[in-house]
Amino acid sequence: MKPIFSMFFWAVFAGIVWGGDGFALKHDEAVYGPFLPVVKVADAPPASDVTISGNRLFAVGKRALTVYDISDPMLPKKTASLYGLTEGRQVVVYKENLYITSRMGGMYVVDIRDPDRPRLRAHYDTMELATGIVCDNDVAYVSQRQFGTEFIDISDPDHPRHLGFIVSGEAQSVDIANGLLYAGDWGSRELTIIDVRNPKNPAIIGSGALDGLGDGVYVRGNIAYAATGPHKLRQAPATGHGLDIFSVENPREPKLLGRLKFPAQAVHRNPDFWGVTVDDHHMAYVSDSFNGIFCVDVSDPANPKCVGHCVLPTNERTGNPDAAGSVESGDGCLYVAGHGNGLYVVKTPLARRVPAERECPKLSDPVRPDLPFDEALVRDFAILPTDGQALAAAAWKEGLVWLAAGSEGLLLVDINGPTPVVKSTLATRGFAYDVKIFGNMMFTAEGDNGVGIYRLAEDGEPVPVNHFDTGQPVRQVTVPDPQKWLIAKSGNSIRFFFDISDPVNPKRVWKDQNHRGILYGRDLVDGVSPSGLTACVTQSTGLLWYDFSGPVPTLKTVTFPEKVSFYDGACWVGETLFFFQHGRYGLLKEAEERSREEITWIPVEGLPYFGKASSHEQTICFTDRRNGNIHFLDVTDPEKPQTLRKYSLQGHPELAIFVNGRAVIPCGHAGLLVEKK
């Protein structure tokens, strides 16, 4: 009886009642307005977001874009599909194209001049997990959570080009008006306002505290609307699940005008999206995941009122209500993206099309100049510009380095002279995210196209040996034993283990997955312990140790079995593993089951965040790709670490390698840095 009692308790707490069809829910109509009937569109695939252009509705979801004719608003008819997207997270119409964020898949540009024959124009490699998107003045603004918002030149839709970025609290979704970007920041619980009139040198100018985790944001007139939600059902006091309304007449000092709370969500699981849009008749349409859709009268911003709501029908697979990914207002009806079951139509006289025209606040200040390069960086490093992102490097021989350069593929770079020179290029099947070399064998991570294995000829020409897919984009590979084992980090949280003793016929032997948290960046630690173990720093489950002594790899043990930061990392210095966390490090010789309290921590003055680490002899190079910092540390005496030098740049420094004692650092769109002799 306990699960039933618990479910009943939370239903009462949330102000919801059970409907007649299993777990379908209704909220209290006295508080949230009449329940609006929901109709599912037949044969519609799952969707995370929808948008309208003319008499066509576009929905994005799992690996597909779907087009519907809504000439009859209540009867959408599927007219076309475009497959091959990694994932559909958000979608906007700008001029004659759709711009689609795809989390690990970056950004897609789709030509809809003939909307019933959509055509892929471009696939752009974003800095990180592409989540929110808005377009204006030939720039796409793509929010990427912990790594901020990227600004992409889309004046030539066939060739999007990086302009700049800015880091805020944790940008989930964004809106734009008159050169001001409004970000719904998740972890920091803020509405953040950013001057982006010069995308190469943006600046945060104001912020307002949210009563929950930030996501969807929309600006109309002098008012900003922010949809919020909590991360935990039993969060106390209950925050989020509501609409916060701010005056942004002075965007430097947003002022809270009003706040409306929705019920505490009766279901807690992913997806957890919250969005809002507002028409010119003062009606806000808010999507709140499993809570459904709320229509809110915001004519008096200080006293918003729910005037209607709906909860989506039960998802047969989970037994819970379907999760509303987003809502779009049409003529007399709402269109809701159902994350599990597909597209829904909600008939209501409250609904009107949301016009694109809206007067919003402006800044009269001068536009900021372009950011200069750090003088110390230019003094100490030669810089090789790249068209794609410089993401990983591997030394080959005689001062030659293979560079994984994202959309540019693989570049063979000669670093012997005063200036790095590209000797040859290899167009990879997918974006080149990682590269490792052992002898004449090269292993690559190629995004949607999985793992590549090449044999390097004497002149450096790569000869393909095999490509194999993991089912999700591959961002990192590590090779504990080039004669036997390869690990591929796939998706947000999965590690696949392959037997590559026959590289022509690799065999997947094990899959290990985090069920909480996201693996950002280089989480697998290169190198092995004296007994042949490898390590992985996971955001949610600690430092994992993998044992390769048996016929199949196994998880041997976990050090720090608790949540760690994506800033945390580890690297080998000789036979000692340095584990870095919150401006300090602990030393491990082998896999040990130890808690945070059982470790002797050594502080590093002036280094609150480390980033990822690599070493050469007794020098460790830290690269903080979120904040653009590079830091060299001397650990000859591990008890007394000494800072050697540090740099900052407007870029994303990745894991350094050392070639003949010189640091070689891929830095995303800032190019490849090669330490001068």
Side-chain angles (χ1 to χ4, degrees), residues 44 314 319 468 489 496 500 547 571 628 653 664:
T314 299
F468 50 95
K489 193 195 84 171
F496 288 106
I500 56 169
D547 186 353
C571 74
V664 177

Side-chain angles (χ1 to χ4, degrees), residues 554-586:
T554 58
L555 178 62
K556 182 180 177 73
T557 191
V558 181
T559 308
F560 323 113
E562 55 197 78
K563 186 175 178 66
V564 300
S565 169
F566 71 92
Y567 279 115
D568 300 340
C571 74
W572 291 98
V573 179
E575 295 186 352
T576 301
L577 185 76
F578 284 60
F579 179 78
F580 309 101
Q581 189 177 64
H582 306 310
R584 58 188 186 172
Y585 59 76

Side-chain angles (χ1 to χ4, degrees), residues 10-72:
W10 284 110
V12 172
F13 175 75
I16 55 182
V17 296
W18 303 117
D21 54 341
F23 287 94
L25 306 177
K26 294 182 179 180
H27 301 300
D28 185 344
E29 293 186 276
V31 179
Y32 302 106
F35 185 84
L36 306 173
V38 182
V39 177
K40 185 184 182 307
V41 176
D43 300 322
S48 295
D49 196 19
V50 292
T51 191
I52 295 173
S53 179
N55 62 358
R56 292 293 185 270
L57 180 142
F58 303 92
V60 294
K62 296 177 181 177
R63 296 192 173 273
L65 160 72
T66 308
V67 185
Y68 299 89
D69 183 341
I70 54 171
S71 300
D72 183 341

Side-chain angles (χ1 to χ4, degrees), residues 523 525 535-539 541-545 559-573 576-589 594-596 599-604 610-613 620 622:
D523 309 289
V525 180
C536 179
V537 180
T538 64
Q539 182 186 355
T541 47
L543 178 65
L544 312 183
W545 293 89
T559 308
F560 323 113
E562 55 197 78
K563 186 175 178 66
V564 300
S565 169
F566 71 92
Y567 279 115
D568 300 340
C571 74
W572 291 98
V573 179
T576 301
L577 185 76
F578 284 60
F579 179 78
F580 309 101
Q581 189 177 64
H582 306 310
R584 58 188 186 172
Y585 59 76
L587 307 178
L588 299 168
K589 290 291 185 181
R594 299 166 73 182
S595 69
R596 196 190 309 254
I599 294 292
T600 299
W601 294 98
I602 301 165
V604 181
F610 287 103
K612 301 306 178 183
I620 298 176
F622 299 102

Side-chain angles (χ1 to χ4, degrees), residues 64 105 119 125 160 181 261 270 339 367 385 478 509 577 593 621 648:
R119 179 181 66 85
D125 180 26
L181 189 77
K261 305 308 295 183
N270 288 330
H339 194 266
V367 176
T478 190
V509 296
L577 185 76
E593 295 183 21
C621 177
S648 62

Side-chain angles (χ1 to χ4, degrees), residues 14 23 28 50 112 140 212 219 283 315 337 346 350 378 390 452 460 505 606 658:
F23 287 94
D28 185 344
V50 292
I112 55 168
V219 182
M283 186 65 66
N315 183 322
V346 181
L350 299 171
V378 175
N505 185 31
F658 291 85

Side-chain angles (χ1 to χ4, degrees), residues 644-665:
L644 296 175
R645 54 196 184 279
K646 52 187 176 181
Y647 309 90
S648 62
L649 74 157
Q650 186 72 0
H652 296 89
E654 298 280 356
L655 202 63
I657 65 169
F658 291 85
V659 181
N660 297 326
R662 300 161 65 198
V664 177
I665 309 175

